Amino acid sequence: MVQGDLRYFEPGRQVPVRVVADTDGNVPERGDPVQLAGEDEGHTEVQALADDGEGIGALQRGGGDDYDDDETADLEEGDVLGSGTVLVTGPVDWYDEADGEDLSVDDLVVLTSDGVRAYDDDPGDDTPLDLFGRVFATGTRASAETAEKVAVLRYK
């Protein structure tokens, strides 16, 4: 990756994802808010928004709209419905992982001079004002250029 070449996705751009069922087997439909569910086989996974404040955008394509009720009736947590797209709420940029960090999708992060590190909400440590964003993807899935990096959906 060229120094300074950080942008992965622009705000409002249709971002490719995999849509999965939430803990109750529910799936989002077009226009529904979604949250990160994880990462598998090089794909960021999203599910219906279950926790206030965890939304990353709205489902643009994919999800329950592509199936009838019979096909989604017996879904369990983590079942993959297929590919889709999400309109993200902010920019997604690549950052180095700070020394010793092993970040995963959906981790909250703070920006430091060494890259990003996990947000620490213990009393006396980080405050909500320190939050920089949420890990959207890990670099191991992209290429050698993004190894030791994570894509962060930025709040700031």
Side-chain angles (χ1 to χ4, degrees):
M1 176 173 287
V2 177
Q3 183 66 25
D5 186 16
L6 299 176
R7 187 61 33 103
Y8 190 33
F9 296 111
E10 295 287 342
R13 182 171 171 206
Q14 294 181 18
V15 177
V17 294
R18 277 199 183 152
V19 181
V20 299
D22 68 9
T23 56
D24 297 323
N26 298 320
V27 294
E29 295 185 358
R30 186 176 189 277
D32 287 348
V34 293
Q35 67 185 53
L36 293 168
E39 184 177 44
D40 189 40
E41 297 178 0
H43 299 279
T44 298
E45 296 179 332
V46 299
Q47 65 187 21
L49 182 65
D51 302 310
D52 291 349
E54 304 243 345
I56 63 156
L59 189 66
Q60 175 71 22
R61 183 183 57 78
D65 291 329
D66 293 342
Y67 300 88
D68 60 38
D69 291 338
D70 291 340
E71 292 175 293
T72 60
D74 296 322
L75 290 175
E76 296 180 9
E77 179 179 8
D79 284 349
V80 177
L81 266 75
S83 61
T85 57
V86 170
L87 297 175
V88 292
T89 57
V92 181
D93 295 330
W94 289 106
Y95 290 94
D96 291 327
E97 287 184 284
D99 287 341
E101 293 293 315
D102 186 20
L103 298 169
S104 300
V105 167
D106 203 30
D107 286 347
L108 295 172
V109 294
V110 172
L111 184 62
T112 72
S113 61
D114 295 327
V116 291
R117 64 168 173 77
Y119 172 76
D120 187 351
D121 63 355
D122 286 338
D125 290 326
D126 298 326
T127 70
L129 294 175
D130 297 323
L131 278 174
F132 186 67
R134 186 176 294 275
V135 175
F136 187 84
T138 59
T140 55
R141 73 182 206 186
S143 68
E145 294 176 325
T146 57
E148 309 300 319
K149 295 184 182 299
V150 290
V152 175
L153 175 60
R154 291 179 20 213
Y155 295 155
K156 296 181 181 181

